[in-house]
Amino acid sequence: MSALKVLITGGSGLLGQYLNIELSRRAEILTLYNENKGNCRDFNSAGIDILDGKCLEEVFQAFRPGVVIHTAAVSNSEKAGRMPEDKVVAINVGSTGIIALLCEKYKAKMVYTSTDLVYDGTLGMMLKEDASLNPATLYAETKLLGEEAVKSATGNYIILRTSLLFGLGLYHSRCHFHTMYESLKEGKPVRLFYDQFRSPLSLSDAAEVISLLIEKDIKGEVINFGGKERISRYGLGSILCDAAGLDKSLLKATSMSEIPNLNGVKDVSMDTSKLSSFGIGQKTLRQSILEVVK
């Protein structure tokens, strides 16, 4: 029996590089990057502009993937806010629609990474997949429009509403957790929100869970994709200090209201019981953080 063929977009991104490592162990992968190669250089890879539909179709025709994991995007609110709106829409919505149509045409399952920020962050805690949606930023709005583009094009999809991902970025990639860890090791103070709540998931755990999900007979599902614990960034930093033996007095509790012009959401912590219902076990935050700092 031939190996499952998996196409990964955004392969040099924060999550993409972890997917390259994890999925290459159990599948034949082709990982796509744009400018920075990252660890794509170590795998079967190609540089591509995901806005080029003709080029994308040539990739599908040549590789014939069974699964496409679409992580390429303008990947956070800050970056989206610095870019022209039409460019953000083209990347986060337009390219997603093109890839979804190609998945339908070439009979591939599509896994689309959305965001927890599509939820209404004023409703409370541990939101389920049917909770009200109210994206507060251009980034979140375009990721939700991307979800709709996927649903319109194909029925063979898994949409993952991804929570705050943490860990150590590979090559050029960085996340807030990584820079926080480096600062704390250097004895520098770190300001962290105590009044915003998420359901953090480590990058390595996220890649492993995706590799398990694509092996299951799942389609037409929207799934909360995060850890099982609700916590603030300050709380996350506190666990990191305990796990790595760092000075907790360097953590400076900060309110979102102290940051000018911040369009932050208060609480998009997610109930991940649906993810667990597919037989996916979840670690505690402390276990995951210990694995990161090891």
Side-chain angles (χ1 to χ4, degrees):
M1 182 189 226
S2 59
L4 177 64
K5 300 177 81 169
V6 180
L7 178 66
I8 302 166
T9 74
S12 66
L14 190 65
L15 175 58
Q17 294 187 73
Y18 277 85
L19 288 169
N20 293 340
I21 296 168
E22 181 65 34
L23 288 168
S24 64
R25 295 171 179 154
R26 60 185 78 195
E28 179 184 349
I29 72 167
L30 173 59
T31 182
L32 305 180
Y33 61 89
N34 186 11
E35 295 176 351
N36 295 307
K37 284 188 177 180
N39 73 358
C40 291
R41 70 195 74 199
D42 302 323
F43 302 95
N44 181 31
S45 62
I48 190 172
D49 179 356
I50 60 168
L51 295 177
D52 188 336
K54 182 180 178 182
C55 189
L56 279 170
E57 179 145 26
E58 289 172 354
V59 169
F60 273 76
Q61 286 176 334
F63 186 61
R64 298 282 173 166
V67 176
V68 177
I69 303 174
H70 180 41
T71 73
V74 179
S75 56
N76 61 64
S77 299
E78 292 75 20
K79 186 174 181 180
R82 296 192 298 267
M83 294 174 59
E85 182 174 337
D86 60 344
K87 182 72 169 178
V88 178
V89 172
I91 294 171
N92 285 4
V93 185
S95 70
T96 300
I98 292 169
I99 291 168
L101 287 168
L102 289 170
C103 283
E104 178 68 10
K105 181 176 179 178
Y106 290 93
K107 303 187 186 320
K109 180 189 294 292
M110 182 167 182
V111 179
Y112 170 63
T113 53
S114 184
T115 175
D116 57 354
L117 297 174
V118 300
Y119 288 114
D120 188 333
T122 66
L123 293 177
M125 62 183 72
M126 305 304 276
L127 303 169
K128 291 193 173 185
E129 286 83 356
D130 60 356
S132 294
L133 306 177
N134 184 24
T137 63
L138 174 63
Y139 163 69
E141 182 182 357
T142 56
K143 293 301 284 184
L144 182 56
L145 289 171
E147 290 187 18
E148 296 306 315
V150 171
K151 292 177 182 177
S152 296
T154 181
N156 191 10
Y157 65 81
I158 300 174
I159 292 171
L160 300 175
R161 288 185 177 150
T162 309
S163 187
L164 179 69
L165 294 177
F166 69 89
L168 303 182
L170 305 175
Y171 286 88
H172 60 281
S173 66
R174 287 291 185 275
C175 63
H176 182 267
F177 181 94
H178 192 156
T179 56
M180 170 179 67
Y181 184 38
E182 289 180 331
S183 293
L184 291 171
K185 287 196 298 181
E186 293 170 6
K188 298 176 181 177
V190 178
R191 297 176 69 188
L192 299 172
F193 293 142
Y194 64 82
D195 54 357
Q196 183 192 62
F197 295 88
R198 310 283 286 274
S199 306
L201 180 67
S202 83
L203 288 159
S204 57
D205 289 345
E208 182 180 1
V209 171
I210 288 174
S211 73
L212 294 173
L213 286 173
I214 65 174
E215 294 178 350
K216 298 178 181 291
D217 184 21
I218 302 171
K219 64 180 181 179
E221 294 284 359
V222 176
I223 302 171
N224 283 343
F225 190 58
K228 62 181 181 179
E229 296 169 58
R230 171 184 181 268
I231 197 166
S232 67
R233 288 185 187 266
Y234 182 85
L236 189 67
S238 181
I239 296 175
L240 171 61
C241 286
D242 289 338
L246 298 169
D247 184 1
K248 200 178 291 188
S249 70
L250 293 170
L251 303 180
K252 307 303 178 185
T254 303
S255 171
M256 288 190 293
S257 63
E258 297 176 44
I259 309 300
N261 304 315
L262 177 69
N263 196 5
V265 295
K266 182 177 180 181
D267 193 337
V268 286
S269 59
M270 299 186 297
D271 181 325
T272 57
S273 57
K274 185 174 182 179
L275 180 64
S276 298
S277 74
F278 293 114
I280 304 297
Q282 292 183 285
K283 302 169 186 172
T284 65
L285 259 178
R286 180 171 176 79
Q287 287 174 318
S288 295
I289 290 174
L290 281 170
E291 289 179 4
V292 169
V293 299
K294 275 197 304 187

